[in-house]
């Protein structure tokens, strides 16, 4: 006799390993997990489209976080290499200050988007 085992699919939130901490575009969507262990996300209502938009916004905010971090590092290097020139020191401090403000804004926005997406789901 030839028996075939069919794996049952279950509905779950599709979360896979993230690349460098970035969420996937289907981070908040429900999907079905097949026999191979892979999740197939499904869009079934208009709120699911907003969940995809929220995930894309969160990806962009994380890119902005990384850019702001490197901007602070750039300001630090400019501060170190200013060699005591008062004009260069003021400019480097302004770069660091703007980078830190960008970090705070992007981090706060990322938390807000994550909260809103979790409440929509």
């Amino acid at each position: 006799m030839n028996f075939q085992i069919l794996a049952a699919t279950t509905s779950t939130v599709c979360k896979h390993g993230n690349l460098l901490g970035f969420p996937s575009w289907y981070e908040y969507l429900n999907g079905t997990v097949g026999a191979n262990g892979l999740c197939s996300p499904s869009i079934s209502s208009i709120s699911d489209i907003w969940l995809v938009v929220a995930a894309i916004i969160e990806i962009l905010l994380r890119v902005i976080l990384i850019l702001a971090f490197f901007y602070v590092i750039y300001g630090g290097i400019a501060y170190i290499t200013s060699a005591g020139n008062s004009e260069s020191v003021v400019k480097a401090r302004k770069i660091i200050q703007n980078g830190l403000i960008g970090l705070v804004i992007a981090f706060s926005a990322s938390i807000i988007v994550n909260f809103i997406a979790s409440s929509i789901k």
Side-chain angles (χ1 to χ4, degrees):
M1 290 190 146
N2 190 4
F3 291 102
Q4 202 173 29
I5 299 173
L6 297 176
T9 58
T10 58
S11 180
T12 184
V13 175
C14 292
K15 287 194 175 188
H16 289 289
N18 297 335
L19 176 67
L20 299 175
F22 289 104
S24 56
W25 65 269
Y26 53 85
E27 178 78 15
Y28 303 109
L29 290 178
N30 289 327
T32 56
V33 177
N36 57 3
L38 295 177
C39 186
S40 300
S42 62
I43 296 177
S44 58
S45 67
I46 192 73
S47 65
D48 289 344
I49 294 173
W50 289 112
L51 291 174
V52 171
V53 170
I56 292 171
I57 290 172
E58 190 171 350
I59 291 168
L60 293 175
L61 286 171
R62 290 188 186 190
V63 168
I64 291 170
L65 274 168
I66 292 171
L67 292 176
F69 176 75
F70 283 116
Y71 196 64
V72 171
I73 290 175
Y74 167 71
I77 292 171
Y79 185 79
I80 291 170
T81 59
S82 65
N85 184 358
S86 62
E87 186 177 309
S88 297
V89 169
V90 170
K91 186 177 178 182
R93 284 184 182 169
K94 191 69 172 171
I95 291 171
I96 293 171
Q97 180 183 9
N98 289 338
L100 290 174
I101 290 170
L103 278 172
V104 169
I105 290 172
F107 186 72
S108 301
S110 180
I111 290 173
I112 291 169
V113 168
N114 194 349
F115 176 75
I116 290 172
S118 296
S119 66
I120 290 174
K121 192 173 33 166

